[in-house]
Amino acid sequence: KNEVEQSPQNLTAQEGEFITINCSYSVGISALHWLQQHPGGGIVSLFMLSSGKKKHGRLIATINIQEKHSSLHITASHPRDSAVYICAVRSPMDSNYQLIWGAGTKLIIKP
Amino acid sequence: DTAVSQTPKYLVTQMGNDKSIKCEQNLGHDTMYWYKQDSKKFLKIMFSYNNKELIINETVPNRFSPKSPDKAHLNLHINSLELGDSAVYFCASSQWRGSEQFFGPGTRLTVL
């Protein structure tokens, strides 16, 4: 069974800092998702990737398949980036394409 | 236009009651999901429907039953509500199984 671990669990930083959130998984995957849950509760899909790197605005997601590791970076962080960031992986062995979810990283950006 | 909508947003009810939460997506997606997020903020898959067929049914109590009248709707019925059912329930949809998921705003259920 795939285990998904995120680090850190909690992260507080000053506005403008470069942020890195990590996600590690234990077995091979076919895809990895990064999602954001706002303080109000809404969940938004940020990235889905299976190799390399994706960029959207100030957000960058990378994945290293060999090391079973992904990172989510936020450049020039802003208080509105404060949210919980969740990593989820899909196993190619699961015919139901079920996602295995990490526990999330709570990010607080102080002005 | 809202892509994935849920009603109601808040639901407060007594133990033993039966309630339903509705979900609709206007994205033309083939797959819809129900998740439960408990107080520890873990997201747990409950059900998934693909082309009106149940494809995932995790070990949830049979008091919970999904109903899909058509591809755009997946409603969640809960019978004999218990205190432990209190949580936020999220509906989601994806174009096909395993593709990017789009989430509804969530329904906060409180059982008294």
Side-chain angles (χ1 to χ4, degrees), chain A:
Chain A
K1 185 181 177 181
N2 216 344
E3 302 289 336
V4 179
E5 291 188 359
Q6 288 187 235
S7 62
Q9 279 189 310
N10 296 282
L11 178 58
T12 300
Q14 290 296 131
E15 183 174 357
E17 287 189 37
F18 181 82
I19 302 299
T20 296
I21 298 171
N22 298 298
C23 176
S24 297
Y25 48 92
S26 54
V27 299
I29 64 169
S30 54
L32 182 143
H33 299 247
W34 280 104
L35 302 100
Q36 178 194 55
Q37 185 165 26
H38 298 288
I43 299 175
V44 175
S45 177
L46 298 174
F47 297 102
M48 185 176 78
L49 63 165
S50 54
S51 65
K53 173 181 172 178
K54 285 191 176 181
K55 184 176 189 291
H56 185 257
R58 295 181 294 106
L59 299 176
I60 304 165
T62 63
I63 188 168
N64 185 317
I65 299 296
Q66 287 74 29
E67 295 186 2
K68 298 186 177 58
H69 179 270
S70 174
S71 292
L72 177 68
H73 304 286
I74 305 174
T75 61
S77 60
H78 189 276
R80 65 175 174 265
D81 297 326
S82 298
V84 175
Y85 292 85
I86 307 169
C87 166
V89 302
R90 172 161 52 90
S91 169
M93 305 304 292
D94 186 341
S95 59
N96 286 329
Y97 297 85
Q98 185 177 346
L99 291 179
I100 310 295
W101 297 81
T105 294
K106 185 174 182 180
L107 173 66
I108 297 173
I109 303 296
K110 293 186 174 181

Side-chain angles (χ1 to χ4, degrees), chain A residues 31 33 35 37 40-48 84 86 90 95-99 101-103, chain B residues 9 33 35 37 40-45 48 55-56 58 90 97-105:
Chain A
H33 299 247
L35 302 100
Q37 185 165 26
I43 299 175
V44 175
S45 177
L46 298 174
F47 297 102
M48 185 176 78
V84 175
I86 307 169
R90 172 161 52 90
S95 59
N96 286 329
Y97 297 85
Q98 185 177 346
L99 291 179
W101 297 81
Chain B
K9 191 170 175 60
Y33 311 82
Y35 289 91
Q37 188 174 42
K40 294 183 179 179
K41 300 299 184 184
F42 277 99
L43 271 168
K44 296 180 182 178
I45 183 76
S48 170
I55 58 171
I56 300 175
E58 292 295 308
F90 285 96
R97 290 185 294 168
S99 65
E100 182 182 13
Q101 295 184 21
F102 294 80
F103 285 79

Side-chain angles (χ1 to χ4, degrees), chain B residues 57-74:
Chain B
N57 187 348
E58 292 295 308
T59 55
V60 297
N62 58 14
R63 298 181 294 104
F64 291 80
S65 57
K67 295 283 194 312
S68 180
D70 54 58
K71 199 172 81 166
H73 296 84
L74 183 65

